[in-house]
Amino acid sequence: MPDINATCSLDEGCPADVFSAFCDQYPDRQVVVYANTSAAVKARADWVVTSSIALPIVTHLHAHGAKILWAPDRHLGHYIQQMTGADVLLWPGACVVH
């Protein structure tokens, strides 16, 4: 049975108000967020990605000279950064399960 009280550490570790203030410090960056975030965080983003489209999206952005602000999973963001060579600023979140 589904648990109505189930939560996600990625979502909980990226409160919309704190994340929005963080983004405001870097207005020159494209904000890319992983799908496991709240609707409010997604609304603050320029791009919402899943693990299957994160690499092609950031590759595209990097090819066009964009600097990236990535959230919420710093591990996936670091992998994307290594694979693309993009200038990626990482939100310090992580999934407690992975």
Side-chain angles (χ1 to χ4, degrees):
M1 294 294 291
D3 182 348
I4 195 81
N5 297 313
T7 61
C8 172
S9 59
L10 289 176
D11 180 39
E12 289 180 338
C14 192
D17 58 338
V18 178
F19 180 67
S20 186
F22 181 71
C23 293
D24 289 344
Q25 295 176 50
Y26 306 96
D28 61 327
R29 292 186 177 265
Q30 291 282 307
V31 178
V32 180
V33 300
Y34 186 61
N36 288 26
T37 55
S38 68
V41 167
K42 288 179 180 91
R44 184 60 177 83
D46 300 300
W47 302 84
V48 178
V49 299
T50 62
S51 56
S52 65
I53 65 167
L55 189 56
I57 294 293
V58 174
T59 298
H60 170 80
L61 293 171
H62 177 55
H64 289 86
K67 294 191 278 184
I68 311 298
L69 188 154
W70 176 275
D73 188 356
R74 70 180 181 269
H75 301 298
L76 179 56
H78 182 70
Y79 170 78
I80 296 295
Q81 182 180 38
Q82 288 182 316
M83 297 304 295
T84 64
D87 180 347
V88 179
L89 178 62
L90 303 171
W91 176 261
C95 177
V96 297
V97 176
H98 298 103

